[in-house]
């Protein structure tokens, strides 16, 4: 009976430790940034619409690479027109290369200059971004 009690304590300690690790990883695996990007859409060589795009960038911590291929994820919103999610971003220097679900390159976001270049269904967006504090 004493051995069962001791074994139960060890199992409880292991379960509690695993739970703490899970909570830590779930809550601290990404740093979230929000941006307002002002620029314009182009189709071909023709600039046709000034626009504002809102971004939510989730920049993953290094340990996410243990189980995932992406360095970040990106949600975009073009107010009253379109929302999109890009789950495969690769960090190359100060650039985040943005890939679509089929891993075709759709654009990039510069962490240094805060510029966004992105192919969307409305055309190619090119603009400057400002961080939104919330």
């Amino acid at each position: 009976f004493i051995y069962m009690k001791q074994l139960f304590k060890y199992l409880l300690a292991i379960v509690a430790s695993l739970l703490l690790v899970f909570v830590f990883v779930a809550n601290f695996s990404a740093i979230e940034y929000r941006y307002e990007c002002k620029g314009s859409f182009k189709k071909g060589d023709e600039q046709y619409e000034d626009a504002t795009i809102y971004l939510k960038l989730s920049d993953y911590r290094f340990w996410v690479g243990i189980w995932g291929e992406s360095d970040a994820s990106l949600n975009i919103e073009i107010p009253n027109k379109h929302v999109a999610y890009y789950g495969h971003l690769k960090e190359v220097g100060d650039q985040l290369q943005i890939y679509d679900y089929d891993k075709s390159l759709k654009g990039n976001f510069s962490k240094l200059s805060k510029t966004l270049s992105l192919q969307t269904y409305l055309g190619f967006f090119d603009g400057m971004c400002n961080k939104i504090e919330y």
Side-chain angles (χ1 to χ4, degrees), residues 2 7 43 79 127 130:
I2 294 174
L7 179 65
K43 276 198 175 173
N130 291 311

Side-chain angles (χ1 to χ4, degrees), residues 99-118:
Y99 294 89
D100 206 351
Y101 62 92
D102 62 358
K103 296 193 179 173
S104 61
L105 185 63
K106 292 298 181 184
N108 62 63
F109 176 75
S110 172
K111 289 179 163 186
L112 183 61
S113 65
K114 306 295 189 256
T115 56
L116 174 68
S117 300
L118 184 64

Side-chain angles (χ1 to χ4, degrees), residues 10-120:
Y10 286 131
L11 287 175
L12 188 60
I14 290 170
V15 169
S17 298
L18 289 174
L19 186 61
L20 284 174
V21 167
F22 174 77
V23 168
F24 178 81
V25 168
N27 286 322
F28 300 105
S29 288
I31 302 170
E32 197 172 274
Y33 303 97
R34 295 172 189 254
Y35 294 95
E36 176 185 60
C37 304
K38 293 183 185 269
S40 59
F41 284 102
K42 296 178 185 174
K43 276 198 175 173
D45 293 332
E46 193 175 308
Q47 181 173 332
Y48 74 97
E49 184 182 343
D50 289 336
T52 301
I53 289 183
Y54 294 92
L55 305 180
K56 181 172 73 171
L57 173 65
S58 298
D59 202 2
Y60 299 149
R61 305 283 188 163
F62 71 90
W63 61 77
V64 176
I66 294 169
W67 61 82
E69 294 180 355
S70 185
D71 295 325
S73 66
L74 183 68
N75 290 291
I76 68 162
E77 178 186 340
I78 305 167
N80 300 319
K81 293 184 181 174
H82 184 65
V83 294
Y85 171 76
Y86 298 91
H88 189 77
L89 279 69
K90 277 292 172 195
E91 190 166 357
V92 179
D94 288 323
Q95 294 276 330
L96 284 172
Q97 295 176 336
I98 304 166
Y99 294 89
D100 206 351
Y101 62 92
D102 62 358
K103 296 193 179 173
S104 61
L105 185 63
K106 292 298 181 184
N108 62 63
F109 176 75
S110 172
K111 289 179 163 186
L112 183 61
S113 65
K114 306 295 189 256
T115 56
L116 174 68
S117 300
L118 184 64
Q119 181 64 46
T120 72

